[in-house]
Amino acid sequence: MKATIRINKENEISRIDNRIYSSFIEHLGRAVYGGIYEPGHPTADDMGFRQDVMEIIKELNVPMVRYPGGNFVSGYNWEDGTGDKSRRPRKMELAWGSIETNEVGIDEFQEWAKRAGSEVMMAVNLGTRGADDARNLVEYCNSSTDTFYAQMRRRNGFEKPFGIKVWCLGNEMDGDWQIGTKRPMEYARIACESAKLMKMVDPTIELVACGSSGPQMPTFGEWEETVLREAYNHLDYISLHSYYGNPDNDSQQYFGSAAIMDKFIGDVVDICDKIKEEKKSDKTIMLSFDEWNVWFHSNEQDKKQEPWQVAPPLLEDMYNLEDAIVVGDLMITLLKHADRVKIACLAQLVNVIAPIMTETGGGVWKQTIFYPFMYTSINGRGTALKTEVESETFTAGKSENTPCVDAATVLSEDGKTLSVFAVNRKIGEAAELEIEGLDGFRLVSHISMEGDDLKAGNSMAEPDKVTPVNHEINDKVTLTGGSWNYLKYEK
Ligand code: AHR
């Protein structure tokens, strides 16, 4: 097949907010304990953080990491993870049926984030708690006043405030699995009042309200409208969460995932703008896609886990090549919405539905999804350009007319590099690519995720079974059928 990509350098979508390359670490499974933190490990630093894991995380250049959950946050008492470690309580963690030792809390995590070169995106508990604890936590983290919680932080050894800028008002509060599930107006009220108090403590923070836990939720739409109507003036972002998968083993249909994400984003943008119009507000609510990834491989094995273990191996999806292609494609979609999606978090970062896996007491290795995330995070910074793509279409499940080829283009800050991220979703059918509007830019590198076996994946034993393919540069650019591609152009 033939496909055409048309770029117009004068036609910008938006400057890209680098925070779309953020990630997420929850107190879940081995993300924290045995993941980023393992005091006895040969590479552990003075605070018990694994340096081998930290080095690989740095390769992804993750600007912000959401913490501490996730479902976990809805039953979490943040004070449990502060101060003298020997006095921290061991608790039943109800969201995942595990034991939380509280060895790591915000005291440690903010330091870990600094060492990893990231900022913390902090979630507050609006499940079992509310506005009072939320504003106390903001004071603990961000205040320099001579008052109780700021003093508590100082007593715990932190003279300087942590300066956490972005805060999530709870997590997935519409989900019946959530500790303290809320009806739309119940959540709208608690989010509004918490937001008000949190911004009274620190007016410089930015707040993310929970949107629906996904477009499949029965109250999707109604939920967003209710929350925005009630709390509009206090909010900066609304969250989107979505996970994709191939449980029916239909890879061609699975390659339609990005079109579903695209529609979800478009629908949420429409809702935000409808309420903006209603309110006659000058403020535009931006989108925080703060949980996205592929998640389905580990569902069955997780059901077999015994409850009440410390750091059990939960949500340890082993990703394959087709998952990497989908992840790359989802990132293309985020770039196409760079004007409204200002934050996005790959859920998650280590061991739990993650690009990076560890062996507790052992080594660390990269999953297939590591590579498209890394290439996009490193090269997808600057300005997103409108990119027109003409290609054949296919039917992905219920979605007819899904384009076989899709692409996003980014012009670097210095104007010297043009990065084209492109996917060919049609399995078994190569696309000969024509790119218009290159305006003197020449192809210098073509890297792809592709291969004969879409089910091949990496492991500790075979860490490099699936890695990016480096193509020779010639006059023709061909996108292999079923591939994700990074094309780098320079002047
Ligand atoms: O990322 C795993 C879980 O997925 C999170 O805890 C929750 O918010 C979502 O349902």
Side-chain angles (χ1 to χ4, degrees), residues 39-86:
H41 193 273
T43 72
D45 66 11
D46 58 315
M47 286 185 77
F49 298 130
R50 279 182 66 158
Q51 293 306 288
D52 57 345
V53 177
M54 182 91 81
E55 286 317 306
I56 293 192
I57 289 173
K58 282 183 183 163
E59 288 180 38
L60 294 178
N61 197 1
V62 174
M64 193 165 72
V65 183
R66 187 165 173 254
Y67 177 84
N71 297 341
F72 170 83
V73 79
S74 297
Y76 183 51
N77 294 350
W78 62 267
E79 304 88 331
D80 293 348
T82 60
D84 183 354
K85 278 198 186 191
S86 67

Side-chain angles (χ1 to χ4, degrees), residues 24 26 28 66 68-73 95-96 171-172 177-178 213 241 243 290-292 295 315 347-348 352-353:
F24 177 26
E26 178 168 1
L28 193 189
R66 187 165 173 254
N71 297 341
F72 170 83
V73 79
W96 301 102
N171 178 70
E172 296 190 347
W177 59 88
Q178 200 66 216
S213 310
H241 288 185
Y243 292 97
D290 45 45
E291 283 189 34
W292 70 270
W295 174 15
L315 278 68
Q348 299 190 9
V352 170
I353 41 175

Side-chain angles (χ1 to χ4, degrees), residues 1-12:
M1 104 181 97
K2 289 205 182 316
T4 308
I5 294 179
R6 283 188 201 95
I7 306 164
N8 179 352
K9 270 182 46 220
E10 309 317 312
N11 204 348
E12 298 179 356

Side-chain angles (χ1 to χ4, degrees), residues 193-437:
E193 293 309 310
S194 304
K196 207 164 82 187
L197 269 57
M198 290 164 78
K199 282 196 172 172
M200 281 177 183
V201 176
D202 182 353
T204 69
I205 59 175
E206 295 183 352
L207 294 176
V208 185
C210 290
S212 301
S213 310
Q216 76 291 346
M217 296 302 285
T219 53
F220 172 54
E222 178 202 340
W223 176 277
E224 280 76 1
E225 289 192 11
T226 311
V227 173
L228 290 173
R229 266 196 202 103
E230 197 64 24
Y232 201 92
N233 290 343
H234 305 293
L235 303 179
D236 303 285
Y237 308 89
I238 187 127
S239 77
L240 294 82
H241 288 185
S242 208
Y243 292 97
Y244 306 86
N246 187 11
D248 302 329
N249 199 15
D250 178 344
S251 304
Q252 192 58 78
Q253 175 173 338
Y254 182 37
F255 281 170
S257 299
I260 301 170
M261 180 192 243
D262 188 72
K263 178 167 181 337
F264 184 27
I265 293 173
D267 288 347
V268 176
V269 166
D270 289 348
I271 295 167
C272 292
D273 293 351
K274 175 180 158 186
I275 307 298
K276 176 180 179 178
E277 179 72 31
E278 253 180 53
K279 299 252 173 209
K280 310 229 173 312
S281 175
D282 290 337
K283 180 165 80 176
T284 301
I285 298 288
M286 297 297 176
L287 275 48
S288 171
F289 213 127
D290 45 45
E291 283 189 34
W292 70 270
N293 200 351
V294 168
W295 174 15
F296 74 105
H297 294 287
S298 59
N299 292 352
E300 288 312 308
Q301 80 205 32
D302 284 353
K303 290 180 193 151
K304 297 181 201 138
Q305 281 296 331
E306 284 296 317
W308 315 125
Q309 301 177 64
V310 175
L314 288 173
L315 278 68
E316 299 206 356
D317 273 41
M318 293 297 149
Y319 293 117
N320 56 33
L321 175 60
E322 65 183 14
D323 299 324
I325 294 166
V326 168
V327 162
D329 198 3
L330 295 171
M331 296 188 86
I332 290 173
T333 306
L334 293 173
L335 284 169
K336 283 163 61 178
H337 290 279
D339 55 334
R340 294 305 287 271
V341 179
K342 298 295 176 186
I343 297 173
C345 304
L346 175 71
Q348 299 190 9
L349 189 54
V350 181
N351 287 334
V352 170
I353 41 175
I356 299 167
M357 299 299 292
T358 70
E359 266 187 356
T360 304
V364 55
W365 55 277
K366 296 169 181 170
Q367 296 240 41
T368 58
I369 63 168
F370 182 94
Y371 297 103
F373 187 91
M374 180 187 75
Y375 276 102
T376 315
S377 170
I378 302 297
N379 302 292
R381 297 183 186 220
T383 303
L385 303 178
K386 284 242 164 78
T387 308
E388 228 181 87
V389 184
E390 216 176 275
S391 80
E392 288 174 16
T393 59
F394 70 102
T395 301
K398 288 186 206 139
S399 317
E400 285 172 21
N401 300 323
T402 301
C404 295
V405 173
D406 203 1
T409 310
V410 176
L411 183 64
S412 65
E413 206 89 54
D414 62 7
K416 289 186 179 157
T417 307
L418 197 63
S419 293
V420 179
F421 303 94
V423 66
N424 179 359
R425 300 168 177 146
K426 195 69 200 287
I427 296 168
E429 196 175 333
E432 264 182 45
L433 202 62
E434 187 163 334
I435 306 202
E436 294 176 7

